[in-house]
Amino acid sequence: MAFTEFRPLDEKSLVDYIKFVPALFSKLGNNLDGLTIKEVGDGNLNFVYIVAGPSGSFVIKQALPYIRCIGESWPMTKERAYFEALALKEQGHWSPDHVPEVYHFDRTMSLIGMRYLEPPHIILRKGLIAGIEYPLLAEHISDYMAKTLFHTSLLYHSTTDHKHAVAEFCGNLELCRLTEQVVFSDPYKVSQYNRWTTPYLDHDAEAVREDNALKVEIGELKSKFIERAQALIHGDLHTGSVMVTLESTQVIDPEFAFYGPIGFDVGAFIGNLILAYFSQDGHADGGNDRKSYKEWILRTIADTWNLFQKKFIALWDEHKDGSGEAYLPAIYNNSEVQHLVQKRYVEDLFHDTLGFGAAKMIRRVVGVAHVEDFESISDAKKRASCERRALDMAKLLLKERKKFHAIDQIVTAMQQVA
Amino acid sequence: MAFTEFRPLDEKSLVDYIKFVPALFSKLGNNLDGLTIKEVGDGNLNFVYIVAGPSGSFVIKQALPYIRCIGESWPMTKERAYFEALALKEQGHWSPDHVPEVYHFDRTMSLIGMRYLEPPHIILRKGLIAGIEYPLLAEHISDYMAKTLFHTSLLYHSTTDHKHAVAEFCGNLELCRLTEQVVFSDPYKVSQYNRWTTPYLDHDAEAVREDNALKVEIGELKSKFIERAQALIHGDLHTGSVMVTLESTQVIDPEFAFYGPIGFDVGAFIGNLILAYFSQDGHADGGNDRKSYKEWILRTIADTWNLFQKKFIALWDEHKDGSGEAYLPAIYNNSEVQHLVQKRYVEDLFHDTLGFGAAKMIRRVVGVAHVEDFESISDAKKRASCERRALDMAKLLLKERKKFHAIDQIVTAMQQVA
């Protein structure tokens, strides 16, 4: 059987496909005996199969031409698999410890074969809901972000390499458009897709739609998201795109990848940690008041930013005489000016991080796609109370982000939200 | 004779070429009798022929694979002709009154056939040196800028159209790289190409190379120039790219066009008017002290910005319920928020304009390519004095641009430069 044109696979046809592809078949020792295939795609967009046999395993991810969680009524190009594979390879090149290896990509079938992240890997978001501390998380994710973002920015790229890559990823525009809609637009207007914990947050959702100052900020960030090709960003770096154990941190699902503002990635991660923080009171019970866990999240937020910034600047220093064309060594030729431009760059990045992070938080409370951190709080009133605090924090960050200059100020502000 | 592969034309082979191309031959009434051909390319990059016969005329512009004024030692893709033709057509579509019509484009030959801008059209820069007032200039150029820049921005484009166009113009990267080098890099370091009025400006040139605060600003603008795909910009909108009569204003030579920051175009034009202003004292003589002409330039600077801003906002208001996806009408649904986002947008654009305009001024005093406004002042000491004032003004604008909020403040600052 040939696979010369696209068709969705199921457990049965997947076996035929694997036999057809040496890069996959060989991972199983060219042997189908004892093979198990399990569909585990709980994401919003794709089918995901775990394929395991006695001699090896892998994951198969296939994109379908619509958004899975909404159905065929919301078409979405399956070409996203091409950009996901491209991004996985690029990010894996720069951060191999934190990106699963790609074994095989089939553009016709919109199909990626990659490393199976074996148990006890779980989705970070589920670990945060369960109250598990990951002592290496900030170290790992800051490493992933610093390396993938630095090496695809003009601090490392020649402008020739940069423009070639920017042009290529302009092709992933349908996924960019989805972000534009669900992050930067729908929450600020009446949309059939929006939902929130009703009736408790009815007034809060309305307030977002009527907040002119908020709309000015989100408009500026929307344009920046579309216009500013700063680096190859993951594009969806929330805590559901990260798989963890106590020792391992793996970033998956970069199908929204394109050349955009760095702060969109850093903000997505930190914003989702802030959501996790405000959800904790909903998960507290007699056995665990979650107070110390909240402290751990706050430390992880601060560590993530501080380590990211430190590692990013260290890479900059390491490569300051290298290929990057933004700041030529013949111009930025003394330590004072080097320090000044880095300070300016990081300050700008911090404000972007806060703004984009806030935008990602708001849309999780009043937009189409919510987060399990809150959804798993069954008491609606309690859930709404957690969500409202997250929303209030996000509105503050979005409007006042330029008044903050260090992550400690964010932590303090979070502790002060009523 | 066929023209199936690239070769540079001369007056003789051009005649063969014209016979071969109906779109050109027909402009001459399919008749070569009485034909005159004159090479007039005084620009830095290309060969330009005026072709005129008894029944019609046109201009032929051919790009060669190097920079003409420097020679074969500085190679430069002739594909720039493709982007110039693309830009001329797009800009001509939005501003037909101020862009010459393209009759013919031949990608293989890197050749554009277009309207001949007949006498008394002259290069605006030459008119400014001669002290000629153009009463419609601000009206016309603001019209051209508002229309071409608005209609290629996200205020008019869907994000789909925008990303397609951005990707296409990423191909013009060699010309972008030239700008990056000569505008944003060379003036701030030792470069074999830099020159200035020596010995008078030796210290000034050195001061630019040692000014850390200036380097921080130019670095930020360089990255913005590369990263920010705000609209299809002309990319080289100085007063040598504009041809004028008292009634007509025509913008030519958009071979540097790409999706970049709008302020780069507006700044280039206004920055070159500021250069013209500071050159006037060098052109003053007993018969004409140029005082009233300087007043006219100041009025033209103010009018250009104010009219541009007014027309740009008028287009935005006109199309606010249209195809542009930056500010959706369902979100920006009241006049207060509409006013707030426009105010924010214009303020940001004003600061970009001042910064990029200043960068364009600095490079004309201490970089590779100078302007005739100053070069035509034969007394080197007098020329240096004019150039120094322009340079000081530019440094002020680049460093302090965010402290200015209206064009009148710029005019006042210009009058105060010693």
Side-chain angles (χ1 to χ4, degrees):
Chain A
M1 179 183 292
F3 294 87
T4 52
E5 58 184 49
F6 177 81
R7 61 193 177 96
L9 295 178
D10 55 25
E11 278 87 343
K12 190 161 168 305
S13 54
L14 182 54
V15 176
D16 295 325
Y17 183 83
I18 290 165
K19 282 193 286 189
F20 176 74
V21 178
L24 297 176
F25 200 30
S26 65
K27 286 274 164 202
L28 304 174
N30 297 312
N31 181 358
L32 296 175
D33 293 343
L35 195 69
T36 61
I37 295 184
K38 194 163 62 156
E39 209 282 309
V40 295
D42 63 350
N44 298 325
L45 296 174
N46 308 288
F47 281 95
V48 179
Y49 298 94
I50 296 168
V51 179
S55 352
S57 63
F58 49 81
V59 157
I60 293 291
K61 181 170 177 181
Q62 187 177 35
L64 302 191
Y66 50 81
I67 298 181
R68 184 180 175 189
C69 68
I70 292 174
E72 302 190 19
S73 65
W74 195 328
M76 183 54 54
T77 175
K78 59 190 171 56
E79 267 293 271
R80 64 187 186 265
Y82 170 70
F83 295 102
E84 178 169 357
L86 215 57
L88 279 172
K89 288 175 198 171
E90 180 80 14
Q91 291 158 349
H93 177 74
W94 297 116
S95 185
D97 291 345
H98 303 298
V99 179
E101 188 186 346
V102 173
Y103 302 141
H104 169 69
F105 174 62
D106 182 335
R107 193 165 183 173
T108 303
M109 291 289 284
S110 303
L111 180 152
I112 301 171
M114 67 182 114
R115 177 187 161 195
Y116 168 48
L117 298 168
E118 70 292 341
H121 277 102
I122 61 168
I123 294 288
L124 170 58
R125 192 185 298 285
K126 291 183 190 291
L128 295 168
I129 293 166
I132 301 167
E133 295 188 15
Y134 294 96
L136 299 174
L137 178 62
E139 193 69 66
H140 285 171
I141 200 76
S142 62
D143 210 64
Y144 164 87
M145 294 193 301
K147 286 176 176 165
T148 61
L149 297 167
F150 175 83
H151 287 105
T152 57
S153 78
L154 286 164
L155 301 173
Y156 183 82
H157 272 174
S158 70
T159 58
T160 302
D161 290 345
H162 201 71
K163 294 236 174 185
H164 281 305
V166 169
E168 167 95 299
F169 276 94
C170 277
N172 202 19
L173 69 87
E174 280 199 49
L175 278 278
C176 290
R177 285 175 62 87
L178 181 57
T179 302
E180 290 157 25
Q181 178 180 343
V182 300
V183 175
F184 296 101
S185 295
D186 279 357
Y188 304 89
K189 68 185 185 61
V190 174
S191 162
Q192 58 173 314
Y193 301 110
N194 289 344
R195 60 190 183 80
W196 54 82
T197 301
T198 190
Y200 306 101
L201 297 184
D202 289 359
H203 175 71
D204 302 79
E206 189 186 6
V208 167
R209 294 194 303 268
E210 293 184 352
D211 188 333
N212 286 347
L214 202 64
K215 290 177 178 185
V216 172
E217 301 302 332
I218 199 72
E220 183 174 294
L221 289 177
K222 183 180 180 181
S223 288
K224 186 176 271 193
F225 176 78
I226 304 168
E227 293 172 352
R228 187 176 192 186
Q230 196 178 13
L232 177 62
I233 65 173
H234 178 286
D236 197 27
L237 192 55
H238 56 77
T239 51
S241 295
V242 180
M243 295 195 74
V244 286
T245 69
L246 292 181
E247 296 83 30
S248 167
T249 305
Q250 302 291 326
V251 178
I252 60 173
D253 290 352
E255 60 210 286
F256 286 85
F258 76 112
Y259 275 76
I262 291 176
F264 192 77
D265 268 8
V266 187
F269 190 78
I270 288 177
N272 275 268
L273 286 183
I274 300 176
L275 293 179
Y277 174 85
F278 285 109
S279 77
Q280 293 302 319
D281 289 352
H283 301 303
D285 57 31
N288 186 345
D289 64 7
R290 299 279 178 133
K291 279 195 178 138
S292 93
Y293 194 60
K294 285 170 72 174
E295 292 298 321
W296 176 80
I297 295 178
L298 291 178
R299 283 199 306 278
T300 301
I301 289 170
D303 289 350
T304 295
W305 172 260
N306 288 328
L307 287 168
F308 164 73
Q309 168 188 295
K310 193 176 129 200
K311 291 173 184 189
F312 193 90
I313 294 297
L315 286 167
W316 189 339
D317 285 337
E318 183 188 337
H319 293 280
K320 71 185 167 55
D321 301 325
S323 51
E325 288 190 304
Y327 296 94
L328 302 180
I331 300 172
Y332 299 90
N333 53 1
N334 62 74
S335 58
E336 189 201 331
V337 75
Q338 179 76 357
H339 175 71
L340 287 171
V341 293
Q342 290 177 340
K343 188 163 167 264
R344 173 78 67 95
Y345 194 102
V346 168
E347 177 94 352
D348 178 56
L349 186 46
F350 186 59
H351 293 148
D352 273 9
T353 294
L354 299 182
F356 287 121
K360 303 276 276 183
M361 291 167 65
I362 290 169
R363 74 98 155 200
R364 295 299 195 178
V365 177
V366 297
V368 55
H370 287 225
V371 287
E372 198 180 334
D373 311 63
F374 293 127
E375 296 295 286
S376 59
I377 301 168
S378 52
D379 178 335
K381 192 171 168 187
K382 194 189 277 184
R383 178 168 73 244
S385 159
C386 293
E387 289 176 319
R388 181 178 294 120
R389 276 177 287 150
L391 183 62
D392 288 347
M393 181 73 205
K395 287 164 66 173
L396 172 75
L397 287 179
L398 189 48
K399 290 190 209 177
E400 308 292 341
R401 63 189 184 281
K402 288 180 186 166
K403 295 185 182 153
F404 293 98
H405 303 283
I407 195 74
D408 290 349
Q409 297 171 318
I410 307 303
V411 168
T412 303
M414 285 171 66
Q415 291 169 314
Q416 286 165 352
V417 169
Chain B
M1 178 180 292
F3 294 87
T4 51
E5 57 185 50
F6 177 81
R7 60 194 179 96
L9 295 178
D10 55 24
E11 279 86 341
K12 190 163 167 303
S13 54
L14 181 55
V15 176
D16 295 325
Y17 184 81
I18 290 164
K19 283 193 285 188
F20 175 74
V21 177
L24 297 175
F25 200 28
S26 63
K27 285 274 163 204
L28 304 173
N30 297 313
N31 182 358
L32 297 175
D33 294 343
L35 196 68
T36 62
I37 294 185
K38 195 164 59 156
E39 209 280 309
V40 294
D42 63 351
N44 297 326
L45 296 174
N46 309 286
F47 282 94
V48 180
Y49 298 95
I50 296 168
V51 179
S55 342
S57 63
F58 50 81
V59 158
I60 294 290
K61 180 170 179 182
Q62 187 178 34
L64 301 191
Y66 50 81
I67 298 181
R68 183 180 175 190
C69 67
I70 292 176
E72 303 191 20
S73 65
W74 195 329
M76 182 56 53
T77 176
K78 60 189 171 56
E79 267 293 90
R80 64 187 187 266
Y82 169 72
F83 295 103
E84 177 169 358
L86 214 56
L88 278 171
K89 287 176 198 172
E90 180 79 14
Q91 291 158 349
H93 177 74
W94 298 116
S95 184
D97 291 347
H98 304 299
V99 179
E101 188 185 347
V102 173
Y103 302 140
H104 169 68
F105 174 63
D106 182 335
R107 192 164 185 174
T108 303
M109 292 288 283
S110 303
L111 181 153
I112 301 170
M114 67 182 117
R115 179 185 159 196
Y116 168 48
L117 296 168
E118 69 290 342
H121 277 102
I122 61 168
I123 294 287
L124 171 57
R125 192 184 300 284
K126 291 183 189 291
L128 295 168
I129 294 165
I132 302 166
E133 296 187 12
Y134 295 96
L136 298 175
L137 178 61
E139 192 69 65
H140 286 172
I141 201 75
S142 63
D143 211 62
Y144 165 85
M145 294 193 299
K147 286 176 177 164
T148 60
L149 297 168
F150 174 84
H151 287 105
T152 57
S153 77
L154 286 164
L155 301 173
Y156 183 80
H157 271 174
S158 70
T159 57
T160 302
D161 290 346
H162 201 70
K163 293 237 172 184
H164 282 304
V166 168
E168 168 94 298
F169 276 94
C170 277
N172 202 19
L173 67 88
E174 280 200 47
L175 278 278
C176 290
R177 284 175 64 87
L178 182 57
T179 302
E180 290 157 26
Q181 178 180 344
V182 300
V183 176
F184 297 102
S185 296
D186 279 358
Y188 304 89
K189 67 186 187 64
V190 174
S191 162
Q192 59 173 312
Y193 301 110
N194 288 344
R195 60 190 185 82
W196 54 83
T197 301
T198 190
Y200 307 100
L201 297 185
D202 290 359
H203 175 71
D204 302 78
E206 189 186 7
V208 167
R209 295 195 302 270
E210 294 183 351
D211 189 332
N212 287 347
L214 202 63
K215 290 177 179 186
V216 172
E217 300 304 331
I218 200 70
E220 183 175 293
L221 289 177
K222 182 180 181 182
S223 288
K224 187 177 272 193
F225 176 77
I226 304 168
E227 293 172 351
R228 188 177 191 186
Q230 195 177 15
L232 178 62
I233 65 173
H234 178 284
D236 197 28
L237 191 56
H238 56 76
T239 51
S241 296
V242 180
M243 295 197 72
V244 286
T245 69
L246 294 180
E247 296 84 30
S248 167
T249 305
Q250 303 290 326
V251 179
I252 61 172
D253 291 351
E255 61 211 285
F256 287 85
F258 76 112
Y259 275 76
I262 291 176
F264 192 77
D265 268 8
V266 186
F269 190 78
I270 287 177
N272 275 269
L273 287 183
I274 299 175
L275 293 178
Y277 174 86
F278 284 109
S279 78
Q280 293 301 319
D281 289 353
H283 302 301
D285 57 30
N288 186 346
D289 63 7
R290 298 279 180 133
K291 281 198 177 136
S292 91
Y293 194 60
K294 285 171 72 174
E295 292 297 322
W296 176 81
I297 295 178
L298 291 178
R299 281 199 307 278
T300 302
I301 289 169
D303 289 350
T304 297
W305 171 260
N306 288 327
L307 287 167
F308 164 73
Q309 169 188 297
K310 194 177 128 198
K311 291 173 185 188
F312 193 90
I313 293 297
L315 285 167
W316 187 341
D317 285 338
E318 184 187 338
H319 293 281
K320 71 185 166 57
D321 300 324
S323 50
E325 288 189 306
Y327 297 92
L328 301 181
I331 300 172
Y332 300 90
N333 54 0
N334 63 74
S335 59
E336 188 201 331
V337 74
Q338 179 75 359
H339 175 73
L340 287 172
V341 293
Q342 290 177 341
K343 187 162 167 268
R344 173 78 67 97
Y345 194 103
V346 168
E347 178 92 353
D348 178 57
L349 185 46
F350 185 60
H351 294 148
D352 273 10
T353 294
L354 299 181
F356 287 120
K360 303 275 276 183
M361 291 167 65
I362 291 169
R363 74 97 154 202
R364 295 299 195 176
V365 177
V366 297
V368 56
H370 286 225
V371 288
E372 198 180 335
D373 311 63
F374 294 126
E375 296 295 286
S376 58
I377 301 168
S378 52
D379 180 335
K381 192 171 170 187
K382 193 189 278 184
R383 178 167 75 246
S385 160
C386 293
E387 288 175 321
R388 181 177 295 118
R389 277 175 288 151
L391 184 62
D392 289 346
M393 181 72 205
K395 286 165 66 173
L396 173 75
L397 287 179
L398 189 48
K399 290 189 210 177
E400 308 291 342
R401 65 190 183 280
K402 288 181 185 164
K403 294 184 181 154
F404 293 97
H405 302 283
I407 196 73
D408 290 349
Q409 298 171 318
I410 307 303
V411 168
T412 302
M414 285 171 66
Q415 292 168 316
Q416 287 166 352
V417 170

